[in-house]
Amino acid sequence: MTFIAFLLKFAFFIFIAFLAILVWIAFSFYRQLTRVRRQFDPFAQQQGRKEDAGSTVIDKRTAEQRNRKVIPDGEGEYVDFTEVDDPGR
């Protein structure tokens, strides 16, 4: 009977140790993930940075004015061209 009790206590100890190791690994992974996320967060970098020039630009336009198209439909990247035969080639 005492040997069985010893085995049960030992199995319980191993189970608790295994759970503690899993919790420690999960916490380490979470801490590493949080550190990397904070490192690559563009908003956190902007908030932590001090003002160099001391002046701040505040955009007071409405959302419609900010999102309106700047370049008219008549202007753009498309160029109309005609192909010319080059007799020298």
Side-chain angles (χ1 to χ4, degrees), residues 9-86:
K9 287 180 184 178
F10 184 71
F12 182 71
F13 173 75
I14 295 295
F15 177 72
I16 295 296
F18 181 71
L19 277 178
I21 290 171
L22 279 179
V23 168
W24 180 69
I25 289 172
F27 178 72
S28 297
F29 180 73
Y30 173 75
R31 193 174 58 204
Q32 181 73 18
L33 187 68
T34 304
R35 187 179 308 132
V36 169
R37 186 178 60 209
R38 218 179 298 136
Q39 181 180 359
F40 289 105
D41 187 14
F43 297 112
Q45 290 175 358
Q46 288 176 355
Q47 291 173 357
R49 196 178 338 155
K50 299 247 181 198
E51 295 275 339
D52 291 335
S55 62
T56 304
V57 176
I58 299 174
D59 191 4
K60 294 183 180 180
R61 296 179 298 171
T62 63
E64 295 162 348
Q65 289 174 335
R66 284 188 302 238
N67 295 330
R68 72 179 166 86
K69 193 172 187 178
V70 177
I71 301 173
D73 289 332
E75 297 179 20
E77 295 290 324
Y78 180 77
V79 177
D80 193 18
F81 69 96
T82 57
E83 196 168 317
V84 178
D85 291 334
D86 189 9

